[in-house]
Amino acid sequence: MAKVDISARPDLPVLDFTFEKPWTSGEISDKEGLKALATKLNPIVGYWDPLNIGSMSKETIGWFRHAEIKHGRVAMAAFVGYLVGASGQHFPGMLTTSGVKYADISAAGAPMAQWDALPSAAKCQILLAIGFLELFSESSDVLALDGQQHYVRGGKPGYFPKLKGKIPHPIPFNLWDPFGQASKQTPEAREKSLLAEINNGRLAMLGIFGLVSASKGLIVPGLDTLPFPKYDGVYMAPFSSVNSDLPFVPQMLAARAEQIAREAAILGDAYLNNGA
């Protein structure tokens, strides 16, 4: 089923559920394109595709390319942010009007401990801002205003639409290329910059995982000797007891405590049985 014609409702448009549609761009859409890209990125390693992405649909290839670029950008920001936070650097002044200082959050210890110490309102603001940026960048209508297409329809993987002039709130800068430097580059220079960004993003993904692992006491050569505080919390638990005022958080924390108790009992029984 590709299209659904709602004849009983002529006021509604024809719905098109076709997954694969013709591309009108020259973006990479097959294995040969990925091989050529891999050679440009790292001619020593070359093409390595354990997930066999190159044999998948062009839409899936576009999705994976965009995901890598986006996660690489997040990892670069996370790596730098971790170094800054773990070294004790912070903004001056007050974080909230209720008396919480940036210094108070910084004093919590490791970067994730600083996240745990954030008030509920601050966490919600951060998560809502991330959600808005995600929805904004995924909108085909928003992309069309820039003359772009979605990355699974032949658009540029990694493209983030301009913010200025598109939302009611005044925005002085666009999130991507805020000072307009990239727009002044030649196509060849932009391609070279994107290749460097992908390589840096891959390195940053390894770097942030290394910092996170070292913070839990694991051996990570080059990172576990840095004088950064350790983290004794749970990385996959974004809400802590500080956020008990949020719905469902107390129940979540209670369930986690029960789970830990059950796991401790199981491990204790296994230890005693093996010892016996």
Side-chain angles (χ1 to χ4, degrees):
M1 180 179 66
K3 295 184 178 181
V4 179
D5 188 358
I6 310 177
S7 57
R9 291 291 304 276
D11 57 313
L12 295 179
V14 175
L15 302 180
D16 188 352
F17 294 99
T18 305
F19 177 70
E20 294 191 7
K21 296 182 179 180
W23 284 21
T24 58
S25 71
E27 293 296 333
I28 296 173
S29 61
D30 54 20
K31 181 181 290 188
E32 295 305 316
L34 291 176
K35 286 182 177 179
L37 176 64
T39 302
K40 293 179 181 179
L41 288 169
N42 192 325
I44 298 177
V45 176
Y47 183 65
W48 185 61
D49 186 13
L51 298 179
N52 201 27
I53 296 172
S55 299
M56 300 180 183
S57 68
K58 58 183 181 293
E59 288 81 9
T60 303
I61 291 174
W63 186 91
F64 272 104
R65 288 199 62 215
H66 182 83
E68 180 183 31
I69 295 171
K70 179 167 66 173
H71 284 81
R73 289 170 179 168
V74 172
M76 285 188 279
F79 185 82
V80 174
Y82 193 102
L83 295 179
V84 173
S87 62
Q89 304 299 315
H90 59 82
F91 288 112
M94 307 296 294
L95 173 67
T96 69
T97 57
S98 59
V100 179
K101 301 178 181 178
Y102 285 105
D104 298 333
I105 302 301
S106 179
M112 190 59 187
Q114 296 174 20
W115 167 265
D116 290 341
L118 284 176
S120 299
K123 287 184 178 180
C124 290
Q125 287 175 358
I126 293 171
L127 295 176
L128 287 173
I130 294 172
F132 165 76
L133 293 175
E134 186 74 7
L135 292 173
F136 184 82
S137 65
E138 290 287 337
S139 172
S140 296
D141 294 332
V142 172
L143 289 167
L145 294 175
D146 289 351
Q148 301 290 331
Q149 293 177 303
H150 197 275
Y151 50 85
V152 301
R153 296 294 181 230
K156 297 177 183 178
Y159 182 83
F160 194 92
K162 298 175 182 177
L163 286 165
K164 292 177 64 175
K166 293 196 179 94
I167 58 177
H169 192 284
I171 301 292
F173 302 106
N174 290 311
L175 183 63
W176 171 250
D177 192 24
F179 303 108
Q181 297 301 314
S183 60
K184 299 177 183 178
Q185 294 179 326
T186 63
E188 293 77 13
R190 283 199 293 271
E191 181 185 9
K192 185 177 180 180
S193 296
L194 181 57
L195 293 176
E197 182 184 28
I198 294 174
N199 279 328
N200 291 336
R202 290 176 176 179
L203 183 60
M205 284 187 272
L206 294 174
I208 189 61
F209 269 105
L211 288 172
V212 167
S213 300
S215 74
K216 298 298 290 184
L218 300 179
I219 299 176
V220 184
L223 296 179
D224 55 0
T225 57
L226 294 175
F228 291 159
K230 304 299 181 184
Y231 177 56
D232 58 0
V234 181
Y235 271 102
M236 299 304 292
F239 297 105
S240 65
S241 57
V242 177
N243 315 117
S244 296
D245 54 329
L246 292 175
F248 308 115
V249 170
Q251 294 86 339
M252 178 194 71
L253 295 175
R256 176 57 180 161
E258 293 174 2
Q259 180 186 13
I260 293 175
R262 288 195 301 269
E263 292 173 352
I266 293 172
L267 292 174
D269 291 341
Y271 176 78
L272 291 176
N273 292 333
N274 290 335

